[in-house]
Amino acid sequence: MAKTAPIRVQSTCPHDCPSVCALEVEKLDEQTIGRIYGAKGNSYTSGTLCAKVGNYAERVHHPGRLTKPLRRTGSKGVGLEAFAEISWEEALDEVSDRFKELSKKYGNETIWPHFYAGTMGLVQRDGIERLRHAMGYSRQHSTICSAASDAGWKVGTGVKRGVDAREIGEHSDVVVLWGTNAVHTQVNLMHHVSQACKRNAKLVVVDPYRNATAKRADLHIMLQPGSDGALAATLMHVLLKEGLADREYLAEYTDFSVELEVHLEGKTPEWGEAITGVSAATIIEFARLIGQNPKSYYRFGYGFTRSRNGAFNMHAASCLPAITGAWKYKGGGALYSNAELFKLDKTLIVGSDVIDRNTRVLDQSRIGEILSGNPIDLQGGPPITGLLIQNTNPMMVSPSSLKVKKGFERNDLFVCVHEQFMTDTAAMADIVLPATTFLEHEDIYIAGGHTFLQVAKPVIKPYADARPNHYVICELSKRLGAEHPGFEMSTWELIEETLNRSGFPSAEEIYKNNWLDCARDFEEAHFLNGFETPDKKFHFSPDWSRLGKVNTSMPEFPDHYSVTDKKSNTKPYRLVTAPARQFLNSSFTETPTSQRREGRPTAKIHSDTCESLDLEDGGVVRVGNDQASVLVHVEVYDNLQKDVVIVESIWPNQNFIEGIGINSLVSSDPGHGIGGAVFHDTAVWLRREESQTA
Ligand SMILES: Nc1nc2c(c(=O)[nH]1)N[C@H]1C(S)=C(S)[C@@H](COP(=O)(O)OP(=O)(O)OC[C@H]3O[C@@H](n4cnc5c(=O)[nH]c(N)nc54)[C@H](O)[C@@H]3O)O[C@H]1N2
Ligand SMILES: Nc1nc2c(c(=O)[nH]1)N[C@H]1C(S)=C(S)[C@@H](COP(=O)(O)OP(=O)(O)OC[C@H]3O[C@@H](n4cnc5c(=O)[nH]c(N)nc54)[C@H](O)[C@@H]3O)O[C@H]1N2
Ligand SMILES: [Mo]
């Protein structure tokens, strides 16, 4: 008898990624899935899906999934054997009793609900904010990912949206992927890029190393990390000088001024070459390509904003489609993120109606300093003595990870972690709660990379005793006495009411139609009705103070803003910790296929550098700075500048030879502007290590 194919159930990928893929999940029975596919019917996902999510059965059915609430009975950092199983009632009671005790002693700001985007589902990700606000716990400035890039983009355009990426395939003549390794981090974008390349569109990649995306480029701009502002200013210089700027567009849609033009006169290709390390001729070639092809589409990523000058550089790069008037054309313009396209009223989910603006706001990326009691970070408030963590793994992903570890080791710190796995962070907790995956709970999703709103229902039953984030937040609210209508609603009711308040169709209707396309019309999407700044113009000379906290030393016009961690005689190399293909931040580091395909952590180093330091492929190098040193295997890699080192990330700390991970080297200095972690902005030294071999 012919075997029938398993049924496929629609869902949405919840992981922290611009693609937010529409999925088809093979359902084998009530508990089990088979393979996952990208939905063919979705015109952005287009049936493309990354390998790690295709193999999701390995993650959701992983033997390491947490099954029961746990109380730590042994030492911190050991893992499962240091914990004993308890009931949900006991666990939730203990967390709320301890939080009440600590609040009584220090005030409510002593508790820090710490979260990020382990799931991008709005209910399961952001519900922790409602508990925070209803209780007056310490607030969080989310700086680990998009603070710098948001600031740099919005200061020019006024709003976090851009041109629909589906225009690329049919209409763009040039595609510029700037500081995004799309093959690793948002592979479906490459489907649209390939369509364009079939029509002979040219692909330009701006990245310090020839990564998987740059390998596909017609022109790879292999610049020094942190030099994007200089590159953008030089390109503008050439465009103006060669008559390739769109003067009419500049006059109508921007604040372009004589002063800016005079400023750019000095940004010659030779000036640019000295800073970026890219030859003047190559910069001119790039300028001519975008100047002679106004249907140029810029996809700006996050990578180049993870520097002290990252926000500034994002703004500088975002000036290019304005100089050439690319915004005017179908297939022209730019996208950084569409997150503000959707305009959902999230009040019920995040409890924004009960925020006490007097409570302090802690910088997420400075968790090491905060837990160590740095008075500046604590802003005159009490120490953090209670942490509730969902959706993030700060022991692995945060800057200055040795400081973070020291903070978690404090004996007077009470930590509850709600997780799917015994992560490095969960291993430091007092109470661990088992969490469902997206296949086991409901949620609603918007996207950065496309225009679809999606609603998802569970595909399978919750694993063992795992429960969703919404359950934990509501149960704690009861015990802590937090009040808000959102605590009284089911996940589905929250989704329904959020959609209702935002003027969208019902959740059932959106689910029935698989998704809702929220794309704006051509004029709106291309800002031809004006940008969303106060005077509706694009700003070359932006008012950074509109974003709140300002750094007054920020130059007025696009330029090289020289505030990065500079090379010196003692630290002559620049380290970039770019994402690995088979992992997603710290997620998927547990799945066997991802581990096998990644192999082991390596430092990509130029062969001339290897020769001068007597390093060999497969040998071992010590990479260090004033914070730490990390021992890692050498990978000879010629496609980068000689003073640049790449360690693709984020490998678990224990996978490094001495158990010290790459984020030990990353500074927790905030990026200039409104902050932002500086993962790709680190000066280091390299040393051959005699005692270790491959
Ligand atoms: N496979 C995989 N996918 C992911 C992730 C992952 O870890 N792995 N992470 C997810 C998350 S949370 C995010 S935010 C996105 C991020 O995805 P992206 O937008 O792609 O950003 P990054 O991954 O930080 O960096 C991308 C590229 O920026 C380059 N870069 C570093 N410094 C500079 C610089 O100064 N100038 C320029 N021009 N380029 C620079 C790096 O070399 C790297 O190739 O990806 C998501 N998708
Ligand atoms: N060196 C270096 N470090 C980096 C970066 C880099 O490029 N280089 N990138 C940075 C960036 S861009 C980001 S965004 C951060 C991200 O860092 P994290 O926020 O830690 O990101 P993830 O590893 O995606 O997810 C964290 C955890 O959420 C859990 N999780 C997933 N879904 C759920 C759920 O429904 N409920 C609960 N309770 N838990 C869930 C997962 O099991 C996972 O352990 O890392 C940053 N760190
Ligand atoms: Mo991120």
Side-chain angles (χ1 to χ4, degrees), residues 16-18 116-117 120 144-146 302 306 579 584-585 679:
D16 189 355
C17 171
Y116 202 58
M120 297 278 276
I144 204 157
C145 179
S146 58
Y302 297 88
R306 309 205 190 290
L584 191 135
N585 305 322
F679 292 109

Side-chain angles (χ1 to χ4, degrees), residues 587-610:
S587 303
F588 298 91
T589 56
E590 64 283 324
T591 56
T593 304
S594 287
Q595 282 171 356
R596 184 169 41 78
R597 290 188 176 159
E598 286 298 331
R600 63 184 180 193
T602 66
K604 291 181 165 53
I605 306 175
H606 196 279
S607 57
D608 289 357
T609 307
C610 287

Side-chain angles (χ1 to χ4, degrees), residues 16-18 52 145 178-182 184-186 206-209 211 223-228 301-304 306-307 576 578-585 646 649 680:
D16 189 355
C17 171
K52 58 193 182 305
C145 179
W178 194 309
T180 175
N181 186 0
H184 283 198
T185 62
Q186 43 171 340
V206 182
D207 203 289
Y209 77 117
N211 59 26
L223 79 180
Q224 276 286 322
S227 69
D228 303 76
Y302 297 88
F304 74 111
R306 309 205 190 290
S307 279
V576 170
R581 181 167 192 171
Q582 307 296 340
F583 302 148
L584 191 135
N585 305 322
I646 308 282
S649 307
H680 307 329

